[in-house]
Amino acid sequence: MSDTRSPITQFYNCRVLRDHALVEDCLYVQDGKIIDPAKMFWDEQRVPDVRVNCQGGIVSPGYIDLQINGAYGYDFSNDTDMIEEAVSNISKGLLLQGCTAYCPTTVSSRPEVYHKVLSHLGPRAGSIERGAAVLGAHIEGPFISPLKKGAHELATLRTAARGLADFDECYGLDNLRQHVAYVTMAPEVEGVLDAIPDLIAATGINISSGHSNATTAVANQAHRSGAKMITHLFNAMHA
């Protein structure tokens, strides 16, 4: 619930989407949430603390992109020597396109890549000056199926036969704790299914099943073990 004493911002002279049509209206925001102005006017007997003239612009929710491997000439997996420049410029460019938050995503890579770039892909606030907010990295691979690798380089793929130790060697558990939003992996790859509970307990990250050739039974077992997301749902999956 919003604090009735906190500032209220009115966005006026704007267009908003209502019933599948853009209409002229005002929006009132308090503590980052849209509020009903009737309560403000009649119950609290307040007026907006800040008024913003939108000059006829459209006010809408921002897009959230959970997987973006690069943009504007930059790639999060390959441009390791200019990774901070990449994050800065992509964040600014995405905001101009209506994306207000995203997960910079790496493809299957060798351990040295993760140890070099992940610390630059962690959560950071967005703003007009900085661009879209970063929600934390999305690591896609390398614990994925060779049969469903897509554009991922086969030579980088690996198993988790040693359980948590393999994930630590590949990513660094501290990197997962501090800088990563979620990891896509294939539960049928050796060692992955058994390691999912330990990996979540050790790092708190989200696990997504993807680039997988798993049976329904294995996929369901992964879900019960804590893999609550799916990457590329229905893309090249079993019928």
Side-chain angles (χ1 to χ4, degrees), residues 63 65 87-96 98-103 124-135:
Y63 293 110
D65 196 333
V87 173
S88 177
N89 284 299
I90 290 174
S91 297
K92 293 172 183 176
L94 289 177
L95 185 60
L96 293 175
C99 177
T100 55
Y102 73 106
C103 291
R124 64 179 76 185
S127 68
I128 294 298
E129 295 78 17
R130 291 168 61 95
V134 177
L135 303 175

Side-chain angles (χ1 to χ4, degrees), residues 22-94:
L22 286 172
V23 298
E24 294 185 5
D25 204 344
C26 296
L27 281 181
Y28 296 82
V29 176
Q30 184 180 39
D31 295 331
K33 297 180 180 180
I34 298 172
I35 64 170
D36 181 357
K39 182 176 183 296
M40 177 189 72
F41 290 134
W42 303 113
D43 296 348
E44 301 175 14
Q45 298 185 355
R46 292 183 58 179
V47 296
D49 302 279
V50 179
R51 301 184 74 237
V52 178
N53 186 347
C54 298
Q55 300 179 355
I58 298 171
V59 177
S60 69
Y63 293 110
I64 298 175
D65 196 333
L66 296 182
Q67 177 168 344
I68 181 163
N69 299 97
Y72 308 106
Y74 297 98
D75 185 287
F76 294 122
S77 301
N78 293 319
D79 293 323
T80 59
D81 291 329
M82 56 178 68
I83 191 67
E84 194 61 37
E85 178 183 324
V87 173
S88 177
N89 284 299
I90 290 174
S91 297
K92 293 172 183 176
L94 289 177

